[in-house]
Amino acid sequence: MEDIFKGKSILITGGTGSFGNYFTEYLLQNHSPKRIIIFSRDEYKQFLMKNKFSGHSDVLRFFIGDVRDQGRLMRAFSGVDYVVHAAAMKQVPACEYNPLEAIKTNINGATNVIDAAIERGVERVVALSTDKAVNPINLYGGTKLVSDKLFVAANSYVALGKTRFSVVRYGNVAGSRGSVIPFFAEQLRRGVKCLPVTDKRMTRFWIDLKTGVELVVHALETANGGEVFISKIPSFKLSDLAEAMNPGCPYEEVGIREGEKLHEIMITAEDARRTYEYDRYYVIYPELAWFQKYGQIIPGGKLTGDGFEYNSGTNTEWLSVENLRDRISYMEYIH
């Protein structure tokens, strides 16, 4: 396939996070972009990232800014071809106790990204979503549901413009900050013998940064506007993860925390009638009038059919304790 990044300018909001670092490394190693612009609030993280990629100062640009600030986004988006919107308030408890701040970043920030992208003539925008936006039970999920809807609907605002918006949805990335693997690893470093497991029935999808980045790249290459992309990924039991990281030791059930679900859901049964299955991913297409008239279905897929649900508890692909141990063995904080 043609290198869509060659000679292009790519901007990543929230670009100093786990995704932004990995995506930047991927672009530098595999493509020839004109510019990679890191847009984020934290000057220290930008300093660390700048040092990490010090040999690429001719390509990398660092832009201090907040997605809440539309004027700053307008300046940053000048001359940009592709935007990956990764900036968000993601911690469930923080969003619960600071709801207006979550709304300002996750909803108002999404609106600002959309407006700036259309105004500046950005070609493609891919917004990162979460399983928590599906049937949300916490504020974080609620704000991301609204954000997803905004990005899908934004395609109807473009009119004769060239900007196309799509969404990529996945759960917590394995090993990312605030996720369960580094939490368990820290507990073990402290000498804890019995890891705390919220519920032995709890399941999660497994996705690593490589798979997440590949899905974003695929969306940038193929999206026509309005799609929600979901990777086909395996499930695992939280109790099996505890066994993989702490072999032969018991775990303690501590109960489901506020805002948590027993299983992750990526696609609901209600979405099934407009969901297409492809070799390595699913796509949910909009059920909106503008899409029925102007939208395009990506070739090669088939409808999933009524009643289909993509749920970590009923998934057809699972990771065993041994699979999990193999997958986490390369993570530096486990050693």
Side-chain angles (χ1 to χ4, degrees):
M1 185 177 286
E2 178 189 358
D3 182 2
I4 67 164
F5 299 108
K6 186 175 182 180
K8 298 290 188 178
S9 294
I10 303 105
L11 183 144
I12 312 165
T13 70
T16 55
S18 302
F19 172 86
N21 271 271
Y22 194 96
F23 187 45
T24 297
E25 185 174 2
Y26 167 85
L27 290 173
L28 292 171
Q29 290 182 355
N30 298 284
H31 299 278
S32 303
K34 178 181 178 182
R35 288 185 301 162
I36 302 172
I37 304 161
I38 306 301
F39 183 95
S40 70
R41 298 183 299 180
D42 194 320
E43 59 183 311
Y44 180 62
K45 288 178 184 175
Q46 288 198 6
F47 168 76
L48 294 177
M49 195 170 176
K50 187 174 184 179
N51 286 342
K52 177 181 177 181
F53 296 109
S54 59
H56 300 279
S57 58
D58 57 327
V59 175
L60 276 175
R61 302 288 184 271
F62 292 88
F63 218 106
I64 295 291
D66 195 316
V67 293
R68 300 180 182 190
D69 185 344
Q70 188 180 46
R72 190 63 169 160
L73 284 171
M74 290 288 289
R75 179 63 60 85
F77 281 22
S78 180
V80 168
D81 300 296
Y82 306 140
V83 169
V84 178
H85 177 49
M89 278 187 65
K90 301 183 176 81
Q91 295 294 319
V92 170
C95 291
E96 293 296 319
Y97 286 99
N98 302 276
L100 294 180
E101 299 306 305
I103 290 167
K104 289 174 186 175
T105 297
N106 296 352
I107 297 177
N108 297 348
T111 303
N112 290 337
V113 168
I114 290 165
D115 289 342
I118 294 173
E119 185 67 25
R120 290 301 192 190
V122 173
E123 292 178 28
R124 292 179 183 267
V125 179
V126 172
L128 302 193
S129 183
T130 169
D131 64 281
K132 295 174 181 64
V134 182
N135 293 340
I137 62 170
N138 53 55
L139 187 78
Y140 169 54
T143 60
K144 292 301 287 184
L145 170 63
V146 174
S147 174
D148 290 359
K149 296 291 187 182
L150 287 170
F151 279 102
V152 170
N155 292 278
S156 66
Y157 305 153
V158 177
L160 298 178
K162 63 181 180 179
T163 311
R164 295 294 178 266
F165 299 89
S166 59
V167 175
V168 162
R169 177 183 294 162
Y170 47 77
N172 286 336
V173 173
S176 62
R177 287 176 301 176
S179 63
V180 66
I181 295 175
F183 171 72
F184 278 177
E186 179 60 26
Q187 294 295 303
L188 294 172
R189 273 196 296 268
R190 292 179 179 180
V192 171
K193 302 299 183 185
C194 186
L195 290 174
V197 172
T198 50
D199 190 302
K200 66 181 180 181
R201 300 167 297 166
M202 183 171 284
T203 65
R204 290 293 181 261
F205 284 109
W206 177 283
I207 188 167
D208 54 25
L209 280 169
K210 179 176 182 292
T211 305
V213 165
E214 286 173 349
L215 188 62
V216 168
V217 171
H218 184 74
L220 286 167
E221 289 176 336
T222 64
N224 298 306
E227 303 93 341
V228 178
F229 292 83
I230 301 107
S231 284
K232 289 183 177 180
I233 46 180
S235 294
F236 67 94
K237 294 179 180 178
L238 209 59
S239 56
D240 284 347
L241 179 66
E243 171 63 23
M245 296 183 67
N246 197 24
C249 295
Y251 58 84
E252 177 188 6
E253 276 193 280
V254 296
I256 295 177
R257 297 176 298 176
E258 178 184 3
E260 271 192 321
K261 292 181 180 179
L262 194 60
H263 307 291
E264 290 180 337
I265 302 174
M266 297 286 192
I267 304 170
T268 66
E270 289 75 19
D271 288 330
R273 65 178 178 269
R274 50 196 175 89
T275 299
Y276 279 68
E277 180 179 4
Y278 298 82
D279 286 342
R280 295 186 296 121
Y281 59 95
Y282 298 98
V283 177
I284 304 173
Y285 293 97
E287 198 170 42
L288 297 169
W290 66 265
F291 188 83
Q292 305 306 317
K293 189 173 182 179
Y294 301 109
Q296 300 178 53
I297 303 293
I298 299 169
K302 62 178 180 180
L303 275 169
T304 56
D306 289 344
F308 172 79
E309 184 179 79
Y310 195 34
N311 183 315
S312 65
T314 57
N315 197 6
T316 57
E317 184 182 358
W318 288 83
L319 296 177
S320 66
V321 172
E322 292 73 22
N323 296 148
L324 288 164
R325 192 171 291 135
D326 289 342
R327 290 191 178 214
I328 62 178
S329 63
Y330 69 89
M331 297 180 181
E332 59 182 17
Y333 45 74
I334 301 300
H335 302 297

